[in-house]
Amino acid sequence: MVRIRLTRMGKKKQPFYRIVVVDSRKRRDGKYIESLGFYNPKVDPAVMNVDVDRAVDWILKGAQPSESAR
């Protein structure tokens, strides 16, 4: 099953996340199929940049977004 989920990047106590398409059997920070954007919760206001066309394309192909990526 293919999932759209967040993968953690950054230093200790300064996380930012990539929004990625990944096989659901891979670990959280494992190899991913495609990167769709990023999410940075540490700045005010939080910044999110997503390639919406590619995300919709993956959802139409059957990828399920995780709860946090939703």
Side-chain angles (χ1 to χ4, degrees), residues 53-66:
D53 295 333
R54 291 300 298 154
V56 169
D57 187 41
W58 275 105
I59 290 172
L60 291 176
K61 290 179 183 176
Q64 296 293 317
S66 69

Side-chain angles (χ1 to χ4, degrees), residues 7-31:
T7 185
R8 189 182 193 279
M9 307 294 285
K11 299 188 298 186
K12 263 194 227 180
K13 301 195 181 202
Q14 294 182 352
F16 70 92
Y17 301 90
R18 284 189 184 155
I19 302 167
V20 296
V21 177
V22 67
D23 184 4
S24 64
R25 296 170 290 191
K26 299 284 185 181
R27 57 182 195 198
R28 180 191 71 182
D29 296 333
K31 188 174 179 181

Side-chain angles (χ1 to χ4, degrees), residues 29-61:
D29 296 333
K31 188 174 179 181
Y32 54 86
I33 299 169
E34 182 179 359
S35 177
L36 300 177
F38 66 90
Y39 168 61
N40 187 354
K42 295 298 280 185
V43 296
D44 189 30
V47 175
M48 184 184 302
N49 183 5
V50 180
D51 185 353
V52 177
D53 295 333
R54 291 300 298 154
V56 169
D57 187 41
W58 275 105
I59 290 172
L60 291 176
K61 290 179 183 176

Side-chain angles (χ1 to χ4, degrees), residues 3-6 19-20 48 50 64-70:
R3 304 274 311 204
I4 298 174
R5 65 183 185 197
L6 302 179
I19 302 167
V20 296
M48 184 184 302
V50 180
Q64 296 293 317
S66 69
E67 192 64 33
S68 57
R70 199 177 310 235

